[in-house]
Amino acid sequence: MIQTQDIKRPPKSVSEAVLKVGAASATSTLSRLGIRNAAILGPVSWTPGKAIAGPALTLQFMPKREDLYGADEYADPEKQLHRHVLYHAQAGDIVVVDARGDMKSGVFGDMMMTYFKGKGGLGVVIDGCLRDYPNLKKLDLGYWVNGFTPNFHTQVDLMPFAVNVPIACGGVTVMPGDIIVADDDGAVVVPQAMAEQVIEHSSKHHEWEDFSRERLSEGGDLRRYYPLSDAARPEYEAWKATQRRK
Amino acid sequence: MIQTQDIKRPPKSVSEAVLKVGAASATSTLSRLGIRNAAILGPVSWTPGKAIAGPALTLQFMPKREDLYGADEYADPEKQLHRHVLYHAQAGDIVVVDARGDMKSGVFGDMMMTYFKGKGGLGVVIDGCLRDYPNLKKLDLGYWVNGFTPNFHTQVDLMPFAVNVPIACGGVTVMPGDIIVADDDGAVVVPQAMAEQVIEHSSKHHEWEDFSRERLSEGGDLRRYYPLSDAARPEYEAWKATQRRK
Amino acid sequence: MIQTQDIKRPPKSVSEAVLKVGAASATSTLSRLGIRNAAILGPVSWTPGKAIAGPALTLQFMPKREDLYGADEYADPEKQLHRHVLYHAQAGDIVVVDARGDMKSGVFGDMMMTYFKGKGGLGVVIDGCLRDYPNLKKLDLGYWVNGFTPNFHTQVDLMPFAVNVPIACGGVTVMPGDIIVADDDGAVVVPQAMAEQVIEHSSKHHEWEDFSRERLSEGGDLRRYYPLSDAARPEYEAWKATQRRK
Amino acid sequence: MIQTQDIKRPPKSVSEAVLKVGAASATSTLSRLGIRNAAILGPVSWTPGKAIAGPALTLQFMPKREDLYGADEYADPEKQLHRHVLYHAQAGDIVVVDARGDMKSGVFGDMMMTYFKGKGGLGVVIDGCLRDYPNLKKLDLGYWVNGFTPNFHTQVDLMPFAVNVPIACGGVTVMPGDIIVADDDGAVVVPQAMAEQVIEHSSKHHEWEDFSRERLSEGGDLRRYYPLSDAARPEYEAWKATQRRK
Amino acid sequence: MIQTQDIKRPPKSVSEAVLKVGAASATSTLSRLGIRNAAILGPVSWTPGKAIAGPALTLQFMPKREDLYGADEYADPEKQLHRHVLYHAQAGDIVVVDARGDMKSGVFGDMMMTYFKGKGGLGVVIDGCLRDYPNLKKLDLGYWVNGFTPNFHTQVDLMPFAVNVPIACGGVTVMPGDIIVADDDGAVVVPQAMAEQVIEHSSKHHEWEDFSRERLSEGGDLRRYYPLSDAARPEYEAWKATQRRK
Amino acid sequence: MIQTQDIKRPPKSVSEAVLKVGAASATSTLSRLGIRNAAILGPVSWTPGKAIAGPALTLQFMPKREDLYGADEYADPEKQLHRHVLYHAQAGDIVVVDARGDMKSGVFGDMMMTYFKGKGGLGVVIDGCLRDYPNLKKLDLGYWVNGFTPNFHTQVDLMPFAVNVPIACGGVTVMPGDIIVADDDGAVVVPQAMAEQVIEHSSKHHEWEDFSRERLSEGGDLRRYYPLSDAARPEYEAWKATQRRK
């Protein structure tokens, strides 16, 4: 019987805080902390407006080799590793798949994703494809994928190979349990051990940003308002006072 | 005068049945019948929610050679083969174009597609581009294409070369008259001679699927409900009885 | 202090007339005037239905070289050239960026685009990415880009290098001040000196097009109605008379 | 029994004259005659120093479809169309193959090429691969291919589909019987009907070229010697006189 | 201290027999045994004429993540996993590297390869690059790589991640200890458990091949001599008798 | 009349010292000095064994626009900028060309390169193609290019645009006058201002390398000899003494 490892999850509060940071701030903060590029390249949001954050369950595909993944394995669904990664799913989890950029394999379909949703899963990040889009659209999950295909997962060139092992997805190494934050800009990998740092750095938000955005949208000078110049600070203080009265 | 061949169409009922099968089931059934990959790769749906099935009229483009496709040919629209494929259009037809993945040629524009719609055409599958998207959006046709371009069809690198001949589109060989089924997952080629088999195989649908989907969405165990285990069968029978009473 | 050149703008009326021509007619007319391919390949519309035309402010990125674009430059925002191109922005302008097709650099984010909108900017054409899509969606600007990324502009491989110089964008050379017309079909470069010609050629529109479109949509013969045949002309004249009475 | 058409060959003298023109002059002359790009892109010379010219036998591959190219066809070698194109081979012929850029199919191997050589074939141009390179190297044939692979021709994704039909090879349309000229620069397609023109244009060779090359190699001024300036003509005449005496 | 696993090697005689089979016969035999594609795509021979076979030591690279592969690791060479794979090298071994197709990382340089040669290594197969080509050319090793680069292995985007684990190289899954056979056609993966079968199948060589090749090279009929027809058998028998007398 | 700027050349001795450093050491040293990637990706050596170093003359191509580069310009060769970059050539110079990766433009041909050689030029680095390979092979120049094509420089999609301006070549920014060092590993850009530093760092060569290479080639332990361990130092000292006596 196949046994695969579970992941060590960060506290829920950490994922929630990372969600507030957002993908854009997460990758730029990580860049300043020494992680040059934490943004997964390839998978894009097919669920506009959706934003999620949570620990990564990982699934690794490899080029199909018929001596390793034979026809007889279909007979026993338990040997299909893409099922196993979902067995580990808990509320708040995100499945990240190394599908090698393949556009001919629909990694998960309707029933698999329904099950994942039923267990509280948030969404998937795949450098490859999903399948059954007409049905998947009805589920309240987030999908960051390269696209969709009618083919099933092992139909053409791939086979599932391992669960909850380190993978590469879209040019970024993902360790099982790393925190994924994904929104309209894309998906970013926050190493679990760096999450607190990312949260702290990003929270030092410039409180004058709303003021500046307002001024810029009225045609204000970029040099004066972004970043906030000393010259504009009294104007900002006055604005802030007004805001408080509202 | 240019004469091009028409296609041999399957009975309407066959296309209708293939539409019910859907793209995903069609390609996986064909895979089990020995056709490794029937899914066209490249063209994606630009008309979300749209699903069509029908016989393929085919149009082949080739790299432009000025000695074969001269400026003088523009003078006589009748020499433009992309018009000729549309002359064959009947209600329920789908035009499939081998545009060689070219992103600089808008195979059809506004007037051509209006004419195709007027004749009852269902949609087009092109491993290349359409043109006049602002107007094409208003027509009730399905578009599976690589993208859109403002360029016209012979402006840059291609010329139309043949009508209703075997073509390759997105890595799949398409014979004139093959049945195309296309939806949000993509477009699939069902060889005309295999359509009945595909319909029959796919129709052996697992009647417990609705039951299982319901249970999975409530957090039910994948091993118990998909595929339906013997242990869950009594539960399913009870559910079915309840359903009937509704 | 960095000084960059402004552009010479065409009269507003010219941009307005080019907008009426549209991207598709502009590139086909230019093709007939000897410009083989004026359509930018790569950036696609992320703001469906949006159509804009105006003079090009240009921004050139180059591969990052740490001896030329050091860490200390971040300290002084004035050295960031992507800000400088926006300083030149006037109502009706379009920013065109040579981002070398890079998918890891978010050329502009939320605050930059807010400022650009505040100055009356119409939109951007980038053979690369934007950043902060969740916020950018709220601004009434047009975006023709290859995609979005959470990374900031100099995070990975690029650095801004020059403003309002000749650039290549999506395989087309763009001179500062050239007129860009962009819609759902894509973005087209109209050389400033050829704008009048393009407008004139394109305006010789076939007044029978509406008539023909109506007939084609009813199943009319393409050979009869497009282009309008002599045989159909009386029918057209009659239709025109009817139209006038409406 | 499969019957495929032979080609109409130009006189030997024409191929010989085209060989003297060479690939570089052929494509530039064709460019001036209105054929924008006659150079096949992808296949490169694997037999350095080899230069050949002759009429094209063509072979078209298509994506493999198991219902069209079944296992039983292997039983009868006569159904393998890549053999049939070679049946037509005559002394001086060149086989051009549309292998769709595929890198997993070895279009011909050792025995096929030995047979082709035995019939007087000159070489092959394939936008794909050959097989059995260790043996092919021993034959005195010219190979312009994308590479080599150990796989046989129908092992992975392709099937041979037609012989001596128009094909596209490396972005150029090749008609059966067109004259191919190939050397270290690559392979060029000379339309049969334009061969005389190409020969004539190219033969107007600048007789001062050898003189100029000599001067340039000694550090002579490019403006003076290439093209030959009026100022340098007396010097050239003197040189020519000297040459004659040698 | 880093400990990595060694591989289980097949008997030397097996590798020797596989070498005689050669890459082309190995992949076609495997294809008939159900392994669709055993040919590694990407790495090509940079040592023409060289042919090797032996068990695979494997090295896996992953996208560099600075929190996992820090600057301090350089201080201790023992942490560099590309050294560790070489520690396992024995006479007759081949190193296969999953370098993810990266062209900016020189996986091994001069000193590493000298050491590998010193231990009796045969060669390397890398879907990526080597470094120090001027020196590597002097060693009697076989190189199947995508190319060469002056960069060192972790300079740009990769880090070594694991030794003697299953890897993907050029689209084929390689298990540690699988037998690699590589020659001018490319590199092929023979699963260790299938080696005997491959050897046996391939050894049923058609003894008439030399005869047929001779006849074909003299212009003999392909239909008569390849495969050997019954009609030509007496001729072959006579030839064989003659050969014996030589 | 077109006037283009010359470059400021480093002393000959600097180029000579950089040549001794070699491409591999240059890029790794630069990496340690903060320049992440100085290796040009794309152009590879077509002149094996050749190694050169010298200041960069730069030539920039742009996508052809017929209004900017008209047919009439051919009439006057002086308007062809690829000639102008050669006018600046001095003994020891290297021409680096931004050809945008285009494979259809032969940037220079026979006569141009003969002239360049005549002036003492060392070689060219082009992210694109050369033309007239049969003749170019005879010149003693170094060629680092993506390939060869029979097409001339402006035949298909490009036009020369500027001389001795900053360019991007193969993903690296090259400033006019930067020192290029190119060998079998590829071409590397050494910023002129950093050349001394690179030379100095690289010259701190480990004098024990020859000793270690000898030991490694005899099967010595990598851990003992590379880098040289304290344990092996006495052995090395003894070896050194022996060497001296030779």
Side-chain angles (χ1 to χ4, degrees), chain E residues 33 44 65 68 77 93 104 110 160 194:
Chain E
L33 296 173
V44 297
R65 235 175 71 176
L68 298 175
D93 285 355
K104 297 181 183 165
D110 176 15
M194 299 180 77

Side-chain angles (χ1 to χ4, degrees), chain C residues 71-106:
Chain C
D72 55 332
E73 298 210 5
Y74 293 100
D76 179 0
E78 279 315 284
K79 291 193 181 161
Q80 298 176 24
L81 283 164
H82 74 315
R83 296 172 68 97
H84 282 264
V85 72
L86 299 185
Y87 294 163
H88 294 290
Q90 296 187 7
D93 285 355
I94 295 174
V95 175
V96 185
V97 184
D98 178 354
R100 318 192 74 76
D102 188 284
M103 299 304 286
K104 297 180 183 164
S105 299

